[in-house]
Amino acid sequence: MSNDENTPVLRGCIKLPLANDELLEVTSKAKDYAIMHGAAMRSKTAFSPDSLNFAPFVLVPSSFPRKEFEKAIALQPIINRLMHNVAHDEEFITTTLAETIKVDEFTANLFNIYRKVLAHGFTQRISLGMLRSDLMLESCCPELSPMLHHVENNMAASTATAAAPAPATTTTVAAATAGGGGDDDDDVAEANGKVDNVGIVRATKSAYCCWKQVEINTIASGFGHLGPASKTIQSFVLRELGHAEKLKHMPKNDALAGLCDGMVKAWDIYGKPESVILFIIEDISYNICDQRFHEFYIRETYPHIKVLRRTLTEVHREGKLGQRKELLLGTTEVAVIYFRAGYEPAHYPTQGEWDARYLMETSLAIKCPSIHYHLAGTKKVQQALAQPAVLERFINDPEEIKAVGKIFTGLYSLDDNDAGNANYEMALRTPEKFVLKPQREGGGNNVYGVDIPDALKRMTRVERSAWILMDLIHPPLSQGYMVRPGSEMPPQIVDMVSELGIFGVVIGDADTIVHNYQAGHMLRTKLSTANEGGVAAGLGALDSPYLIDSDGEEGYY
Ligand code: ADP
Ligand code: MG
């Protein structure tokens, strides 16, 4: 991950470090609290279906600017509508993916299902979208942020700092000016090892200038339970540490209810009292809490609705269509299908799993996502959406177009044409500015910075069109304790960066949207040195936002 000595640091929620005894005690308690409140996962290294480890978490919430958070929340229904319209634009999906499906077999298989469904007509016109728009604060907009100029001026004054690359722990403390005394600033900076060797620690207005969308997920958007669960753990920790008054700055998070209610609304629309909601799951669900809590919420809140869990392989074995093209598992009719698997090639080990996907797609069940929603969530479609004037095709209101346009960072096609080839050259010239992404979900697939040229050179011109290029976002740092199963106790203070996900639910058909709402959020935080931060993948940690204002009253500084 690209961060250097100039990367600003968001001020923390409480003063760190904690005294060793206090830290040990609260961390041990928090680990147990996490397991006992379902902030847990199955171990990959010592797997047992009968036991859970706590999921990695950040001990106290990471700061996030209130205004930016509220902007993201307010924008979500517009993003929902955008994605709904994109999913229903056959021409746009088809032309956008035309080059990609020539070389990307997985996307081509999805597209073939789409093509067949289009040819026969949609049995179910209603789709259930449960989206998650992921975003990061950007700290590197020179035109917007006075901070960088300021730091550069200071750096220029210091040969010691300017000449040699600073150690990773040397950063500037930004957002630390308003209201506070200089002593406090220095306290935090020193406590966190952040005073650089010429003592530049302040005088900047903001640690970020805006946020940028990392990606939008239309399939298996996780953390509906773990998002709210993170808030529960961190609220407990703050109370234990005597900071109950800080809890008011942690926004409410009803993601689990919002998402499950979306499934139930779809079930209501389907209108068959005996029908069930089907979760499509992987062969082994490590992230089990983030699925079972959905199931248990539905069972407890709506006891008349049954939930089944099946793998694609099982659906292939047991599933068939009835006379009205209803999906039947044995004699049980399925109203709603919620895919928590099916987004990566490994989920389709044989043609049987693809046949199962097609069977479900042609059925009367309401899918989350339906195949066109799945395709609308591909990276290639996201790249196409970020091109000038494309949004106008999907959004009428000029203000909304402007607001959505601002969240895109540079996204570039690598198709085999003049523009794509110019982008390829640009990536070779300045790879450190970019991330290279294939049409995959689930983390661990991207190529970053200096690794890009080699990766690109290994591809043929045509193969490149399976990938897109994206500007690297530079989020500000936060500092805190990351707690992981099996890691040293007490934890050390580390530099971290966060990624916020906003959930949205949208239900409707090509002509009408019947439900559209924002449905809570999640925050994932990773070490600032890690490229990717998947929690299930073992790199990220559960977190939740602690909202700070630019006047700085609610934070410690
Ligand atoms: P996936 O579908 O595999 O989740 P993402 O596009 O979300 O793919 O990328 C995975 C991770 O890589 C993100 O969660 C984020 O940590 C990092 N990442 C992706 N795009 C960028 C970017 N433009 N700038 C910085 N980090 C990024
Ligand atoms: Mg992602």
Side-chain angles (χ1 to χ4, degrees):
M1 196 70 202
S2 138
N3 60 73
D4 57 28
E5 73 275 14
N6 290 340
T7 308
V9 183
L10 289 163
R11 68 171 178 272
C13 150
I14 59 168
K15 183 173 179 174
L16 301 181
L18 298 173
N20 235 23
D21 295 355
E22 191 179 33
L23 177 61
L24 265 176
E25 184 165 340
V26 78
T27 306
S28 307
K29 265 191 226 181
K31 287 181 180 183
D32 286 345
Y33 192 94
I35 296 177
M36 292 170 193
H37 289 75
M41 290 184 174
R42 294 221 164 102
S43 168
K44 284 189 175 162
T45 48
F47 177 81
S48 160
D50 298 337
S51 64
L52 292 169
N53 281 348
F54 71 84
F57 62 92
V58 179
L59 193 64
V60 295
S62 295
S63 295
F64 200 93
R66 186 185 305 274
K67 254 201 207 134
E68 301 300 324
F69 180 83
E70 285 170 356
K71 199 172 94 186
I73 296 283
L75 206 59
Q76 190 58 40
I78 300 170
I79 293 178
N80 290 345
R81 184 157 26 88
L82 165 68
M83 295 311 291
H84 186 83
N85 293 343
V86 170
H88 288 92
D89 190 326
E90 185 187 329
E91 194 206 336
F92 183 74
I93 299 258
T94 306
T95 33
T96 302
L97 293 174
E99 293 306 307
T100 307
I101 59 175
K102 287 182 191 161
V103 282
D104 187 307
E105 194 189 344
F106 180 68
T107 312
N109 284 336
L110 294 174
F111 194 85
N112 277 340
I113 292 178
Y114 178 54
R115 209 169 359 220
K116 282 198 272 179
V117 173
L118 281 174
H120 297 118
F122 288 91
T123 312
Q124 177 55 263
R125 295 185 71 244
I126 301 258
S127 287
L128 165 61
M130 297 211 286
L131 315 178
R132 201 186 72 212
S133 171
D134 290 343
L135 58 100
M136 278 175 167
L137 291 170
E138 174 59 271
S139 65
C140 256
C141 302
E143 76 276 19
L144 291 173
S145 169
M147 180 204 59
L148 289 185
H149 301 304
H150 177 88
V151 170
E152 274 159 19
N153 290 343
N154 279 295
M155 298 306 255
S158 154
T159 41
T161 314
T169 51
T170 305
T171 52
T172 52
V173 174
T177 49
D183 288 345
D184 272 359
D185 288 348
D186 289 346
D187 265 4
V188 174
E190 275 161 17
N192 296 337
K194 291 296 165 188
V195 178
D196 70 26
N197 44 11
V198 289
I200 304 165
V201 288
R202 76 194 78 222
T204 61
K205 266 211 109 40
S206 177
Y208 57 89
C209 41
C210 55
W211 54 260
K212 296 291 181 190
Q213 186 175 67
V214 173
E215 68 155 345
I216 181 130
N217 300 283
T218 61
I219 183 164
S221 310
F223 283 65
H225 160 70
L226 291 174
S230 319
K231 180 183 172 188
T232 311
I233 305 169
Q234 292 176 327
S235 302
F236 169 74
V237 169
L238 284 179
R239 264 188 252 108
E240 287 296 299
L241 293 173
H243 292 292
E245 84 290 351
K246 305 253 175 195
L247 301 188
K248 61 178 181 289
H249 298 297
M250 297 177 74
K252 82 172 168 59
N253 190 358
D254 296 327
L256 183 67
L259 295 172
C260 292
D261 289 348
M263 289 190 245
V264 171
K265 285 181 203 305
W267 183 88
D268 281 338
I269 291 171
Y270 191 84
K272 278 291 211 90
E274 296 302 314
S275 63
V276 304
I277 297 178
L278 171 66
F279 287 17
I280 299 296
I281 54 166
E282 316 98 303
D283 290 341
I284 300 174
S285 298
Y286 295 101
N287 191 6
I288 189 69
C289 295
D290 207 52
Q291 298 178 8
R292 283 290 190 201
F293 272 87
H294 295 62
E295 177 178 347
F296 300 159
Y297 174 91
I298 292 171
R299 295 296 293 144
E300 280 159 22
T301 318
Y302 310 95
H304 55 292
I305 306 177
K306 211 169 155 191
V307 173
L308 296 181
R309 288 163 61 82
R310 294 286 185 277
T311 63
L312 285 167
T313 315
E314 288 166 341
V315 172
H316 177 56
R317 224 169 23 229
E318 299 170 26
K320 59 176 190 294
L321 298 189
Q323 285 188 339
R324 293 173 298 113
K325 291 205 173 180
E326 70 276 24
L327 178 65
L328 296 170
L329 293 175
T331 54
T332 305
E333 180 168 349
V334 175
V336 177
I337 308 173
Y338 174 44
F339 285 91
R340 287 301 294 253
Y343 54 83
E344 65 174 40
H347 297 160
Y348 301 85
T350 69
Q351 183 57 36
E353 287 73 24
W354 284 111
D355 292 346
R357 181 80 193 260
Y358 178 63
L359 180 83
M360 289 187 276
E361 204 55 49
T362 52
S363 80
L364 195 59
I366 299 176
K367 273 79 66 181
C368 175
S370 49
I371 194 75
H372 41 300
Y373 253 91
H374 189 169
L375 291 171
T378 53
K379 308 282 192 290
K380 184 68 198 167
V381 168
Q382 290 163 33
Q383 177 260 310
L385 277 178
Q387 304 314 294
V390 171
L391 284 177
E392 285 151 34
R393 185 176 175 128
F394 303 107
I395 305 178
N396 293 328
D397 182 338
E399 289 303 314
E400 290 184 2
I401 293 175
K402 218 162 97 191
V404 174
K406 276 190 198 155
I407 72 175
F408 296 130
T409 190
L411 283 145
Y412 313 93
S413 150
L414 291 170
D415 288 355
D416 185 14
N417 54 32
D418 287 352
N421 291 328
N423 294 333
Y424 166 77
E425 296 296 336
M426 174 175 77
L428 294 187
R429 268 195 317 275
T430 52
E432 67 284 355
K433 291 187 175 162
F434 302 110
V435 46
L436 180 67
K437 299 188 178 185
Q439 311 304 309
R440 291 288 175 277
E441 301 293 327
N445 303 299
N446 300 340
V447 180
Y448 294 84
V450 292
D451 295 334
I452 292 176
D454 276 353
L456 281 178
K457 284 180 198 161
R458 279 197 299 271
M459 299 174 201
T460 64
R461 289 164 83 99
V462 181
E463 278 168 352
R464 283 183 225 145
S465 51
W467 298 72
I468 62 149
L469 194 66
M470 183 177 186
D471 284 345
L472 202 58
I473 307 168
H474 306 85
L477 303 179
S478 53
Q479 290 162 340
Y481 300 105
M482 201 178 264
V483 187
R484 306 189 150 276
S487 66
E488 68 172 318
M489 281 284 276
Q492 302 292 312
I493 290 180
V494 286
D495 283 351
M496 309 178 294
V497 295
S498 299
E499 183 172 349
L500 180 68
I502 309 286
F503 293 105
V505 172
V506 53
I507 306 178
D509 62 20
D511 307 317
T512 317
I513 291 179
V514 287
H515 297 286
N516 177 7
Y517 55 92
Q518 177 268 330
H521 60 271
M522 51 80 88
L523 192 75
R524 260 176 318 177
T525 292
K526 62 183 179 181
L527 290 179
S528 65
T529 46
N531 280 326
E532 296 199 11
V535 175
L539 296 164
L542 308 183
D543 201 351
S544 49
Y546 177 79
L547 300 184
I548 55 172
D549 293 307
S550 44
D551 63 12
E553 273 170 22
E554 68 307 281
Y556 180 81
Y557 51 91

